[in-house]
Amino acid sequence: MTDRDRAAGPRRRLRRLQRRLTLAYTLTTLVGVSVLSWLVIHTDGRSWRNAEFDEMLRHAAVSTSLIYYTDAGVQLDGLRDDESTRGRHQVFVLLSRTRIGTPAKGVADGAGKATTGRTAAGRATDEVRTTGAVRPTGRARPAGPGGLDRVFTSGSRSVPVSDERIAALARTAMDEDVTVREEVPAGARTAYAVARPFYHDETQETTGAVVVIGDPGLRMAEHTRLTYAVLTGSGLLTLLAAFTGHLLSGRSLRPAWQALEAQERLLADAAHELRTPVAIMRSSMDVAGTDPRNLPTHLPRIRRATDRLTDVVENVLTRGRLQDSAASFSPVPLRLDQLVEDACGELPPGRLTLTLRLDESVVDADPALTRVAVRNLLDNALRHGRTPGDPHGGAEIDVSVRGHTVSVADRGPGVAAEELPELTERFRSRGGGSGIGLSLVREIAAAHGGTLTARPRPGGGAAFLLALGPAGQARHARAGTS
């Protein structure tokens, strides 16, 4: 399995996690929007239903108030031209045969033929036969069981509610002496019905009922349009939530992506850096194993590889600190000149000409990271800055501290300023090294709000300048990059 395959596993898991977060966010939004949509649609439908019933109740109340009794009997003339019987609702008036005695003129008698009815006062009336808004019946028709005759019908039968159902509603209102409101079947649809009893003016006896039938479909068109609008808006909102959830989940997982990339870089650095010293040690031990008498000649080489291995481990751990959270970065007031002097004192003995010009300087920096940066600059000067023409391979190094800047100059082949970005990339070196040293110095400088620059040195060679940020800037720089 290659490194790319190993890295693909965590990346796939992160992508799968992002999809799951997006799905969870979308489903949560969908549930919330669905509940809210149901509440809006249900509340609006109930409001339209209540409004329809309220209007029907008003028509029933007005109709019953227009029915009155005289010596001639029940009078329905007030219903003919009233708005309550000329609207879109159907109004039925049903009279009880048993409670009023002889039926009115135009109401069918027991034998089924039209007669001149008599009221309780014994006078004839023919108010059932009407024209205009009130449909003439010709004669009163039985409306169903219970001895009820339908004596008045307004409008046309647009809602097919059965006569038996209308009579049952009227009988319930009369028997219980209450206003009845129900939803009744009307063919394949459902209709609204209101039944209200009316009374004899003198005896106050319940003599009949007014039944109002309404078609909910005529008024529910607005509710249907609202339903479509709410459902369309809910769908669009859910799509927007899915898109937003995808963006937010990606943003929330950005630290995980960065940590994964940092881990991959750290592992790549470790593998790349450790390969060379381990190979040197192994080859030296293999050669020494063939002839133990030559072991002393290989010990210095093994020791140098061990020292190099120590430096590699320290650099890799330092890079891990830089890639870790801000909690591992601890800038404090630091005497930069003393730290540089101590680092120069750790240089290995040899043919080295070291010149120090250290001005007293206090910076706000992390001591461990700053020490690693200075040590890498010195190691780079020792490795690549040997004086040309020196048969012993000696190095001439000038180190200075001025303000917040550390300068390490050598007499090597030199480096142009435009070549510095390439040299500070990982695994890019002019030869003899791994290339992680200068890249680590650049990262340490950036963490402190500073920079790493290079310039030609007068007389040959190169000078590397590590500039740390002023006091207080290191914390802000690290906070902005963590």
Side-chain angles (χ1 to χ4, degrees):
M1 180 181 293
T2 63
D3 294 340
R4 180 175 299 180
D5 294 334
R6 295 189 185 96
R11 292 181 183 275
R12 281 196 299 268
R13 287 193 292 270
L14 283 177
R15 293 191 185 95
R16 190 181 305 118
L17 177 60
Q18 183 178 6
R19 288 193 294 269
R20 289 178 177 176
L21 290 176
T22 301
L23 180 61
Y25 186 82
T26 303
L27 291 179
T28 302
T29 304
L30 179 61
V31 171
V33 169
S34 300
V35 172
L36 182 61
S37 300
W38 180 86
L39 289 176
V40 170
I41 295 173
H42 179 71
T43 302
D44 184 74
R46 187 170 55 184
S47 298
W48 281 111
R49 178 178 180 274
N50 292 336
E52 182 72 9
F53 271 119
D54 290 343
E55 184 176 354
M56 294 170 61
L57 288 171
R58 183 177 62 83
H59 287 180
V62 172
S63 298
T64 55
S65 68
L66 294 175
I67 301 173
Y68 63 96
Y69 282 85
T70 66
D71 292 340
V74 62
Q75 304 295 318
L76 305 176
D77 55 321
L79 297 175
R80 299 175 183 176
D81 300 322
D82 192 80
E83 292 183 357
S84 62
T85 59
R86 307 181 89 181
R88 54 188 176 84
H89 299 106
Q90 299 175 13
V91 179
F92 301 93
V93 178
L94 290 88
L95 285 175
S96 173
R97 301 181 197 144
T98 59
R99 300 189 183 186
I100 65 173
T102 308
K105 181 181 179 181
V107 180
D109 60 8
K113 65 179 182 177
T115 64
T116 300
R118 295 283 181 179
T119 66
R123 301 179 60 179
T125 179
D126 59 353
E127 280 77 10
V128 176
R129 302 185 182 185
T130 58
T131 58
V134 180
R135 181 177 62 84
T137 61
R139 62 177 182 174
R141 294 185 300 168
L148 294 177
D149 291 329
R150 185 176 348 126
V151 297
F152 180 86
T153 302
S154 70
S156 59
R157 296 292 296 273
S158 59
V159 182
V161 179
S162 65
D163 293 339
E164 290 77 9
R165 177 66 66 174
I166 294 175
L169 289 170
R171 177 58 61 189
T172 301
M174 295 170 62
D175 291 344
E176 299 181 7
D177 197 19
V178 295
T179 300
V180 179
R181 48 180 280 177
E182 292 183 1
E183 294 185 11
V184 297
R189 298 181 297 166
T190 300
Y192 296 158
V194 172
R196 181 183 175 93
F198 60 88
Y199 313 94
H200 195 283
D201 294 336
E202 294 181 359
T203 64
Q204 298 301 313
E205 182 183 3
T206 304
T207 56
V210 173
V211 180
V212 181
I213 302 296
D215 185 1
L218 299 177
R219 195 164 183 173
M220 295 297 285
E222 290 291 336
H223 173 68
T224 303
R225 284 194 289 268
L226 175 67
T227 301
Y228 289 151
V230 170
L231 293 179
T232 302
S234 300
L236 294 177
L237 186 60
T238 302
L239 292 177
L240 179 62
F243 178 74
T244 304
H246 183 73
L247 293 181
L248 292 179
S249 61
R251 186 176 182 85
S252 63
L253 291 177
R254 186 178 300 173
W257 284 106
Q258 294 174 347
L260 178 61
E261 293 176 355
Q263 183 184 29
E264 292 176 354
R265 289 196 301 267
L266 185 63
L267 292 176
D269 290 346
H272 187 273
E273 290 284 314
L274 294 175
R275 186 178 295 114
T276 300
V278 169
I280 293 175
M281 295 174 62
R282 182 179 180 84
S283 62
S284 299
M285 294 176 63
D286 289 343
V287 173
T290 58
D291 188 2
R293 292 174 298 177
N294 294 329
L295 180 61
T297 61
H298 295 284
L299 286 179
R301 188 182 181 194
I302 296 176
R303 185 177 295 109
R304 288 194 300 270
T306 305
D307 294 339
R308 181 57 182 165
L309 186 61
T310 303
D311 294 339
V312 166
V313 172
E314 184 176 5
N315 283 340
V316 171
L317 292 177
T318 301
R319 183 178 292 277
R321 284 192 58 195
L322 288 174
Q323 295 170 352
D324 199 357
S325 63
S328 62
F329 182 77
S330 304
V332 296
L334 176 68
R335 282 288 300 271
L336 184 59
D337 56 313
Q338 293 180 357
L339 185 145
V340 172
E341 184 177 9
D342 293 341
C344 292
E346 297 174 0
L347 291 175
R351 296 184 176 276
L352 171 66
T353 303
L354 181 63
T355 304
L356 297 178
R357 289 187 292 272
L358 309 178
D359 296 341
E360 184 176 336
S361 174
V362 178
V363 296
D364 194 15
D366 187 295
L369 294 179
T370 305
R371 181 181 296 274
V372 171
V374 173
R375 186 180 300 166
N376 283 355
L377 288 178
L378 294 174
D379 181 72
N380 180 76
L382 284 175
R383 188 180 302 275
H384 306 290
R386 301 186 183 278
T387 305
D390 189 340
H392 302 288
E396 179 183 340
I397 302 176
D398 289 348
V399 180
S400 64
V401 174
R402 182 172 299 175
H404 302 97
T405 302
V406 178
S407 174
V408 178
D410 58 57
R411 289 296 181 186
V415 57
E418 57 271 12
E419 296 178 359
L420 182 63
E422 181 181 352
L423 292 178
T424 54
E425 292 180 5
R426 294 162 51 240
F427 312 143
R428 299 299 294 271
S429 174
R430 292 176 292 178
S434 64
I436 194 175
L438 291 181
S439 67
L440 189 57
V441 174
R442 178 178 58 83
E443 292 184 14
I444 293 175
H448 288 82
T451 58
L452 174 65
T453 57
R455 63 188 181 190
R457 182 184 182 186
F464 289 87
L465 287 78
L466 170 64
L468 302 177
Q473 184 173 342
R475 291 186 179 91
H476 298 303
R478 183 60 180 170
T481 56
S482 62

